[in-house]
Amino acid sequence: QVRLVESGGGLVQAGGSLRLSCVASGNIHSIYAMGWYRQAPGKQRELVAADTSAGNTDYADSVKGRFTISRDNAKNTVYLQMNSLKPEDSAVYYCNADLETITRILGEIELERGEHWGQGTQVTVSS
C-alpha cells in the first residue's frame, strides 16, 4: 500500500513564501514522476509543477519564475518552494506520483504502475 503525505501548507500574506513537502511510502519499487496539483473552490484541479525521473520539470504558466519543484529520490520526497505568493494561489495542493509498486505473491514478484494522490494541504494567501 502506498501513502503520499503532504505537509507545509498554511496561511501566508501576499508576497510571502511557503515550502510544501510530500513523502511517498509503502511498497514502492520505482518512482517515475512526482508533481503538485491544486484545486481552488469551484475550479478544476490543475497541474502546478511536475518533475520526472529524467530530471525534466514542467510548470504552469501562472507559477513560472515563482515556484520551484525539487526531488530527493533517496527519500522519495518532492518539494514545492513557493515564493511571491498571490491570493490567486490559494487552493488545496495535492501531491501526485506516477510510480511502480512491488508485491510478492506466493513467491512471485508483481510490479504494478499507477498514479497515486495525497490527501491535500491547504494553502491560503491573504491580500
Side-chain angles (χ1 to χ4, degrees):
Q1 186 175 357
V2 173
R3 290 187 67 204
L4 272 61
V5 180
E6 302 105 331
S7 61
L11 173 65
V12 64
Q13 287 187 332
S17 299
L18 284 174
R19 188 191 193 209
L20 305 183
S21 300
C22 171
V23 181
S25 63
N27 54 327
I28 298 170
H29 181 257
S30 301
I31 299 180
Y32 297 100
M34 296 187 81
W36 292 93
Y37 287 71
R38 67 186 181 188
Q39 187 168 20
K43 295 187 177 180
Q44 289 189 331
R45 190 173 297 190
E46 63 174 356
L47 173 69
V48 177
D51 186 305
T52 69
S53 59
N56 297 318
T57 57
D58 189 26
Y59 294 92
D61 288 341
S62 60
V63 306
K64 284 181 180 177
R66 299 188 298 122
F67 291 10
T68 303
I69 189 171
S70 60
R71 282 172 61 178
D72 185 334
N73 293 323
K75 296 181 179 180
N76 287 345
T77 300
V78 63
Y79 305 96
L80 185 68
Q81 178 66 45
M82 305 185 294
N83 298 328
S84 302
L85 282 161
K86 304 175 181 180
E88 51 264 42
D89 293 319
S90 297
V92 178
Y93 283 69
Y94 296 92
C95 177
N96 173 274
D98 173 11
L99 56 82
E100 188 174 62
T101 58
I102 181 169
T103 306
R104 186 184 297 274
I105 302 176
L106 299 177
E108 296 291 325
I109 291 177
E110 181 176 299
L111 300 176
E112 183 175 358
R113 183 171 179 174
E115 193 172 24
H116 299 263
W117 293 89
Q119 81 287 352
T121 185
Q122 178 71 47
V123 172
T124 303
V125 184
S126 63
S127 58

